[in-house]
Amino acid sequence: MAAVTPEGNLVAFQGDPRAATFLRSAAKPFQCVPLLLAGVAERYGLEVPDIALICASHGGTPAHVERAAGLLARGGFGVEDLLCGAHWPMDVRAAEELRREGREPSPLHNNCSGKHAGMLLACRVLGLPTGDYVAPDHPWQERILGHVAAFCGLTEAEIGLAVDGCGVPTFRLPLAATARGYAALAHPAAAGLDGETVAAVGAIVRGMTGAPEMVAGPGRFTTRLMRVTGGRVLAKEGAEGFYALAVRGPVALGIAVKIADGGERCRDGVVLDVLRQLGSLAGAEFEELREFHSPPVRNVRGVAVGEVRPEVELEEAV
């Protein structure tokens, strides 16, 4: 875990803040930046929930699916143009409804469909090919890599690449570098970003914190955390136990958390403990989110037989 200021100073950590890991879906806000700089929002009239969905790992609810389909339609695309693949909705009710109706999920139910729809729109605006927009050597993916590097204070050569679950490149970099990137989302001017990029970050923050239900979904930790904090904390999960936060006050910070074994049952509690120890979460806010801090462990009869307790001991950087 690492906590970093917008100026790039490490202030607290647990474990090795230089340890490198893949951002997975926590990269989505950075992947959205060049889309906004390309003028996609103006060209297609993107609204706050649209930008939230482009940055989302959504639950595949009807509201998510409808908005993703709407994004595609604005650029003259259809579901067949999505290269993210299909999986069952992450939202339990949405998945049950599909099964009850005897329907299979489509790529629109993929938690990354908003991001992919946004990429297609960007390619349309810039006149780039759309047949293999997920390829690492596609001009759009190369442009994204440049922005990830700039936000995180690295060169492109210092960032490792692999293929994410939805088919696009995913980025491997140190926890402290990721935290620095999220600190730039918290206070882009203090991070030294240019005016156009500051404006793009503002739109992303307004999107994610203004429509948190689009970023994750009903009852999910990410949505609840942004709603309870009134958008002061921007939050984004990634697969395999990764989590990143842009704390916009009272002190601007970027935070990156990685659960070493890739498990997620303790992740939310660890995030809450980190925020509390850093003074980034008020007592009343913590109480509203307490159910995520030490969730019960239940046996097959549903009886609580224990609980998951986070153990966080932050060290101050010197």
Side-chain angles (χ1 to χ4, degrees):
M1 170 271 165
V4 175
T5 68
E7 296 80 12
N9 300 315
L10 180 70
V11 296
F13 64 94
Q14 180 170 343
D16 184 359
R18 299 165 299 179
T21 189
F22 287 101
L23 274 66
R24 304 297 298 271
S25 283
K28 286 173 179 173
F30 305 133
Q31 291 166 317
C32 186
V33 169
L35 178 150
L36 295 176
L37 293 177
V40 172
E42 294 77 12
R43 172 77 172 273
Y44 295 110
L46 299 188
E47 301 173 338
V48 164
D50 296 320
I51 294 174
L53 192 75
I54 289 169
C55 298
S57 295
H58 66 74
T61 68
H64 295 133
V65 169
E66 180 180 353
R67 192 162 290 275
L71 287 173
L72 290 173
R74 294 184 203 187
F77 296 105
V79 65
E80 68 279 1
D81 295 300
L82 290 174
L83 299 180
C84 55
H87 63 65
W88 287 98
M90 297 168 68
D91 183 86
V92 174
R93 290 185 179 179
E96 289 176 347
E97 182 178 349
L98 281 183
R99 291 188 173 96
R100 186 167 57 250
E101 296 174 353
R103 294 192 291 140
E104 293 290 321
S106 83
L108 291 170
H109 294 97
N110 188 304
N111 73 96
C112 299
S113 63
K115 175 181 71 177
H116 281 250
M119 289 180 175
L120 285 167
L121 294 180
C123 289
R124 183 74 89 211
V125 166
L126 296 173
L128 299 175
T130 59
D132 195 17
Y133 65 89
V134 300
D137 59 354
H138 188 282
W140 183 247
Q141 299 303 335
E142 291 178 340
R143 184 175 296 207
I144 287 173
L145 175 60
H147 283 279
V148 172
F151 268 78
C152 298
L154 300 172
T155 65
E156 293 181 20
E158 293 176 292
I159 298 177
L161 295 178
V163 180
D164 211 338
C166 67
V168 301
T170 184
F171 312 100
R172 182 178 183 270
L173 55 157
L175 287 169
T178 303
R180 180 175 182 174
Y182 266 76
L185 297 176
H187 199 324
L193 300 179
D194 63 83
E196 285 188 333
T197 306
V198 169
V201 168
I204 289 168
V205 171
R206 287 191 297 275
M208 295 180 68
T209 62
E213 70 282 356
M214 285 289 134
V215 180
R220 286 175 57 190
F221 176 65
T222 295
T223 293
R224 288 280 306 282
L225 176 58
M226 289 194 282
R227 183 169 288 149
V228 166
T229 60
R232 183 174 47 79
V233 176
L234 179 149
K236 186 69 193 72
E237 70 276 10
E240 300 293 330
F242 195 87
Y243 211 91
L245 307 110
V247 179
R248 302 163 63 204
V251 176
L253 288 173
I255 301 169
V257 174
K258 169 67 176 180
I259 305 303
D261 68 357
E264 297 183 356
R265 68 175 184 169
C266 66
R267 185 193 65 190
D268 299 347
V270 168
V271 168
L272 287 175
D273 237 37
V274 167
L275 288 171
R276 183 168 61 173
Q277 290 188 38
L278 290 172
S280 300
L281 196 67
E285 293 169 340
F286 178 84
E287 289 303 320
E288 284 195 60
L289 297 164
R290 179 176 285 278
E291 67 190 89
F292 297 100
H293 183 259
S294 302
V297 175
R298 299 185 184 277
N299 65 16
V300 294
R301 293 175 51 211
V303 177
V305 295
E307 65 180 9
V308 178
R309 296 180 182 175
E311 293 185 1
V312 179
E313 297 181 6
L314 298 185
E315 298 182 51
E316 292 186 9
V318 293

